[in-house]
Structure formats: structure tokens, C-alpha cells
């Protein structure tokens, strides 16, 4: 049995938060250590460290060890020094890599006095490689007894304060690398995001969808109601647009015979920044021939529940004090009924801009807002925040949906839904409009909105119309916001929490 002890307290070497040295002094001290390493003939930035084992694998290999039990099993690990406890002839260090953390024990009688002293001179944040044997301390902490070590990268700037963590929002978002180092829960969230993306792709791949890539730089933007970013191509001497959606190109793939198609990638919209909006965001759109918006709803609710179960192990999530059940089927309600339920306004009895504006309490409708946009204003303000449990809001005004097929039984509406969970939208879907003549008429309607001053209208796209004139089968299309989905599943309060490097002022 081992007679070794460790320390799991906060007794890390270094200054307390109240008397921390000036950062310039700390950087100078670290640079002096860098030069001492070089003077001693040690490369502080070697090119590789072969045979490294992930720390998680080392921990898994010794799960059955009893407290105080020794082994003669040698391991080679590497990572960042996150804490040091004790000095003199024996000390403990915490080492972390991308898979986990493990305790190191350095003893002068094992490592040698000079190497032991050199290891203890490392700073928090330094990367080191370690070889040694595993044992379980009497306190039950798996530990590597260091038998040799190698500097791998000298950290020239101090880490964020260990005791208080990195909490300043500006620093966290502008220098995400520090956030990932200081806050393990943030690192875990971005690993979960990667899992959500992989699981979403896998779900569609297994359902026979083909992933494609369409242009990001487009001669004409479209597929959503949004303002684009504009850039200039020097060789072509023409303006191009960063795409606001992948819709129109993906539907041209349907025309070409790819019956189930999707793309997962970045879209860009020149709009404001809010807890739910970033000008650059990740969207997955999929299109399925011979299907309608009811089929799309069933696929979406199944996908979300499957991804939640696969990545998080449950379809029940907690958000803002509410328990949300993602298990299908989700509630369906028409937009008219949702507005009546939550805002007390029956939009079906107020068919003009003026009547609807009066019901909202406006003396007159804004000049750039048609009837459909007023409906959207009421819905966004009064209804959306109330939709906590998963809900499909069905059947939208045609003015809001230039690419959706007319409703098969309700005049003035289209077959469209938006999916809301936790008080915000995560997805949007249509039974796609495939009549080229009707699509041309819708483009003309959008042109009238542009004349009214609405800058978020869909421009006329003749190439898309030519594709529709080749014939597109009945099709359902869905756009699912990956950033919104990750926000929902991780409980993040803002989209900035799920974007590694969000846009900042």
C-alpha cells in the first residue's frame, strides 16, 4: 500500500487574488524562465511528443484501483499544468489535456533533485510531457508518479485567476481560448455542440439524404427575408452577396434529381445582434421530394429528440426553471389560434393593415409594414416568448412566405410552420411552392414590398424560375438553426455562449 498523500485543496502556488503582481512583471518572469530553459540546453518548444496517451484513457485503465494501491504500469501523458501544490522535496501538480485532468506527483528522490526543481519551476499554463507510473492516493486520486518530464510549450502569459475563474463577458467572448482554459463547462459545451452537428448529419445520412455544398458567394441572394452582406469580386468586376440561405440552390438540386438533399453550413444576414441573433450563423436545410410540411414536422421532431438522446442521454431538458419534454409528437397550433390565445386578437377578422394596426394599438401602420409584417410583429412580441413546450405554429400569411405553397384549404395562407421551444424559434419549414407561374407572381409581390421600403424582401431570381420551369416534384423543405438548437439543449442563455468567436462591437 502506498504511503503517499496528495492535496485536493486550493493551495495552489502563486499569489492570492488580492496581491497578484502586475501582469507585465509576471510576463517578464516567465520570459526569464524561458531563457533559463534554453541556457540549460532544453528546447521549450519541441516539435512533437510521441506515444502520448489521452488522460481519459489512463483514468479508464485504472478505475478498479483501491485507495492507496500502487501499480508498476507506466504511462506517457501530456497537457497543460493547471495547478501546483506543495514545494520542497515533494509536490503535486494537476495536468489537463483535451480529454480530462490527472494528478502528478513529483519527488526529488524519484525524479532527481535537479529535474524535480526544474519541473517545479514550470508556470501554470505550461505544457509538459510526463512519463511515470500510476497509483491511487490514499484520498482516492489517481496519480502519476513522475519519472521523467519534457517541456513542450512555455506559456508566456498568466492564466485567468483560478479561484474566481474567467467571468468578464467581454474577455470570455473576445478571447475564447482563455474561456476554454478557465471554464471546463464551456469546453464541454463546445464538445456537445460538435456532437449535435455530428448526430444531426448522421440522422439525415441514415435516412437517405445526400449532403451537398452550394455557393456562399452568390450573384443574387435569396431564400429568406433578410438583408445581405455585399462584397466585390475584382476579377469579375461585379458585386456578390454572402448567402442568406441555401434554399434556392438546394431546390435546384431537387429539380436535378437529388430527391433527398441537405446542406449544413454558414449563412450571413446583415441584421442586428441580440441574445438570439448573430450575423454569421450555422443552419442546416434539407429538402425531400414527394413530401409536405406535415412530413417535415414529423422528421424534425424525431431528429431533435434523437439528437438530444444521443448527445445528452435524455429528451427532457431544463431551461429557465421549466422542464421541457422533447418527445414526439409536439403540439400543433395555427398562427391565427396562437395569436388569439396569447394576444387576444383574431387576425382573421382584421384583413387590412389599418384594422390590424388599430387592434394592436397603433394610430397608423408603419409605411414599410404590410399586413403580414404586422402579423409577424404581434406574433413575435406576444406569442413566441410563451411557447416553452415544443410547438409547431402552422399556416402563415402568404405575405410572410414567398416560397411556400398556398394552403390547400385556407385562402390567403400558405403551408408553413415554425417550430418553437423554450420561447424561441429553432426551425422553419414549407410545403414548397413548385408552380413557376405562382412563384413569379410572388416575386412581383415582393417587389411591391421593396417599393414600400422593406429592405428584407426577396429579389426576383430568374435563374430559379427557369429551374422551376423544368419541373420540381412536390417537396418539403426545412431550415433548422444549429446555434439555436445547441442553445436549447445546453441551456445557454445567449447565442454567444454557443459560438466560439461571436461578432462583437
Amino acid at each position: 500500500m502506498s504511503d503517499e498523500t496528495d492535496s485536493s485543496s486550493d493551495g495552489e502556488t502563486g499569489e492570492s487574488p488580492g496581491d497578484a503582481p502586475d501582469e507585465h512583471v509576471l510576463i517578464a518572469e516567465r520570459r526569464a524562465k524561458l531563457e533559463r530553459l534554453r541556457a540549460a540546453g532544453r528546447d521549450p518548444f519541441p516539435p512533437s511528443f510521441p506515444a502520448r496517451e489521452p488522460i481519459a484513457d489512463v483514468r479508464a485503465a485504472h478505475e478498479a484501483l483501491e485507495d492507496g494501491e500502487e501499480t508498476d504500469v507506466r504511462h506517457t501523458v501530456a497537457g497543460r499544468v493547471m495547478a501546483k501544490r506543495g514545494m520542497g522535496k515533494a509536490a503535486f501538480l494537476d495536468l489537463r489535456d483535451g480529454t480530462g485532468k490527472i494528478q502528478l506527483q513529483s519527488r526529488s528522490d524519484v525524479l532527481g533533485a535537479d529535474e524535480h526543481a526544474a519541473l517545479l519551476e514550470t508556470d501554470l499554463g505550461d505544457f509538459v510531457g510526463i512519463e511515470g507510473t500510476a497509483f491511487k492516493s490514499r484520498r482516492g486520486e489517481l496519480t502519476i508518479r513522475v519519472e521523467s518530464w519534457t517541456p513542450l510549450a512555455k506559456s508566456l502569459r498568466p492564466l485567468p485567476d483560478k479561484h474566481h475563474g474567467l467571468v468578464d463577458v467581454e474577455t470570455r467572448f473576445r478571447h475564447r481560448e482563455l474561456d476554454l482554459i478557465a471554464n471546463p463547462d464551456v469546453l464541454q459545451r463546445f464538445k456537445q455542440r460538435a456532437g449535435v452537428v455530428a448526430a444531426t448529419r448522421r440522422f439525415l445520412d441514415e435516412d437517405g439524404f445526400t449532403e451537398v455544398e452550394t455557393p456562399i458567394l452568390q450573384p443574387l441572394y435569396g431564400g429568406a427575408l433578410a438583408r445581405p452582406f455585399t462584397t466585390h469580386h475584382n476579377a469579375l468586376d461585379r458585386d456578390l452577396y454572402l448567402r442568406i440561405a441555401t434554399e434556392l440552390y438546394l431546390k435546384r438540386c431537387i429539380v436535378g434529381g437529388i430527391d433527398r438533399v441537405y446542406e449544413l453550413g454558414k449563412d450571413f444576414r446583415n441584421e442586428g445582434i441580440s441574445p438570439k441573433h448573430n450575423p454569421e450563423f450555422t443552419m442546416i436545410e434539407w429538402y425531400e421530394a414527394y413530401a409536405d410540411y406535415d412530413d417535415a414536422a414529423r422528421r424534425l421532431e424525431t431528429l431533435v429528440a434523437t439528437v438530444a438522446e444521443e448527445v445528452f442521454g435524455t429528451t427532457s431538458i431544463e431551461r429557465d426553471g421549466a422542464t421541457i419534454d422533447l418527445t414526439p409528437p409536439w403540439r400543433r397550433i395555427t398562427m391565427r389560434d396562437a395569436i388569439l390565445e396569447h394576444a387576444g386578437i383574431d387576425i382573421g377578422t382584421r384583413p387590412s393593415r389599418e384594422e390590424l394596426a388599430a387592434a394592436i394599438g397603433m394610430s397608423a401602420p408603419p409605411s414599410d409594414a404590410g399586413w403580414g409584417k404586422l402579423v409577424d410583429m404581434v406574433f413575435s412580441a406576444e406569442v413566441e416568448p410563451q411557447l416553452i413546450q415544443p410547438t409547431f405554429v402552422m399556416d402563415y400569411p402568404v405575405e410572410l412566405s414567398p416560397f411556400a405553397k398556398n394552403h390547400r384549404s385556407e385562402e390567403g395562407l400558405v403551408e408553413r410552420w415554425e417550430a418553437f421551444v423554450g420561447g424561441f424559434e429553432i426551425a422553419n419549414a414549407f410545403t414548397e411552392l413548385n408552380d413557376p407561374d405562382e412563384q413569379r407572381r410572388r416575386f412581383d409581390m415582393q417587389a411591391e414590398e421593396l417599393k414600400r421600403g422593406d429592405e428584407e424582401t426577396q429579389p426576383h431570381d430568374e435563374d430559379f424560375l427557369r429551374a422551376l420551369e423544368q419541373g420540381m416534384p412536390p417537396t418539403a423543405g426545412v431550415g433548422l438553426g444549429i446555434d439555436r438548437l445547441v442553445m436549447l439543449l445546453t441551456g445557454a442563455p445567449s447565442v454567444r455562449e454557443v459560438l466560439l468567436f461571436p461578432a462583437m462591437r
Side-chain angles (χ1 to χ4, degrees), residues 385-403:
Q386 310 304 318
L387 301 177
I388 305 304
Q389 295 301 323
T391 303
F392 290 108
V393 176
M394 318 285 289
D395 304 339
Y396 279 56
V398 65
E399 292 92 336
L400 295 175
S401 313
F403 297 107

Side-chain angles (χ1 to χ4, degrees), residues 8-26:
S8 57
S9 72
D10 291 332
E12 172 189 327
T13 60
E15 305 293 334
S16 66
D19 58 4
D22 181 85
E23 185 178 58
H24 297 293
V25 174
L26 294 175

Side-chain angles (χ1 to χ4, degrees), residues 94-225:
D94 288 343
L95 191 74
R96 193 174 84 190
D97 69 5
T99 69
K101 185 173 70 172
I102 198 166
Q103 181 170 261
L104 309 176
Q105 184 203 58
S106 178
R107 285 176 28 177
S108 60
D109 60 339
V110 175
L111 190 55
D114 291 342
E115 285 293 283
H116 173 71
L119 177 58
L120 294 191
E121 195 174 56
T122 58
D123 288 305
L124 303 189
D126 287 1
F127 281 87
V128 297
I130 300 293
E131 293 186 51
T133 54
F135 70 93
K136 183 74 73 71
S137 74
R138 290 208 301 263
R139 296 189 181 188
E141 184 68 28
L142 182 66
T143 306
I144 300 293
R145 182 176 292 115
V146 181
E147 297 178 356
S148 66
W149 77 280
T150 303
L152 297 180
K154 181 64 185 171
S155 173
L156 299 179
R157 290 184 175 273
L159 294 178
D161 177 71
K162 172 181 182 290
H163 297 271
H164 295 81
L166 182 63
V167 296
D168 179 73
V169 171
E170 286 287 314
T171 302
R172 288 185 55 233
F173 295 159
R174 291 186 188 277
H175 300 281
R176 183 69 84 179
E177 65 280 4
L178 297 180
D179 195 21
L180 296 171
I181 293 169
N183 299 317
D185 58 323
V186 173
L187 179 63
Q188 177 64 14
R189 180 180 293 142
F190 283 102
K191 289 184 175 181
Q192 290 169 337
R193 178 188 173 109
V196 168
V197 170
T200 299
R201 276 196 165 105
R202 187 159 47 247
F203 179 92
L204 292 176
D205 290 343
E206 291 175 355
D207 267 357
F209 283 78
T210 299
E211 183 176 9
V212 300
E213 295 172 289
T214 63
I216 292 175
L217 283 176
Q218 300 180 346
L220 188 67
Y221 62 94
L225 302 180

Side-chain angles (χ1 to χ4, degrees), residues 298-327:
R298 287 188 289 271
R299 191 178 299 281
L300 184 279
E301 64 191 2
T302 304
L303 182 152
V304 171
T306 300
V307 169
E309 183 68 44
E310 185 173 326
V311 179
F312 298 88
T314 181
T315 56
S316 179
I317 60 174
E318 299 293 327
R319 185 172 183 86
D320 298 329
T323 299
I324 298 173
D325 184 6
L326 299 174
T327 306

Side-chain angles (χ1 to χ4, degrees), residues 224-273:
L225 302 180
R227 286 183 295 175
F229 289 95
T230 306
T231 187
H232 188 77
H233 192 291
N234 292 332
L236 295 176
D237 191 23
R238 66 178 299 183
D239 287 341
L240 296 172
Y241 304 95
L242 293 179
R243 71 184 181 198
I244 61 174
T246 56
E247 176 173 345
L248 303 190
Y249 283 95
L250 292 178
K251 287 199 280 194
R252 288 163 71 173
C253 293
I254 292 285
V255 170
I258 308 177
D259 288 345
R260 291 185 175 184
V261 64
Y262 77 90
E263 182 170 6
L264 192 155
K266 293 286 190 181
D267 290 333
F268 309 84
R269 297 181 185 176
N270 200 347
E271 59 190 9
I273 297 173

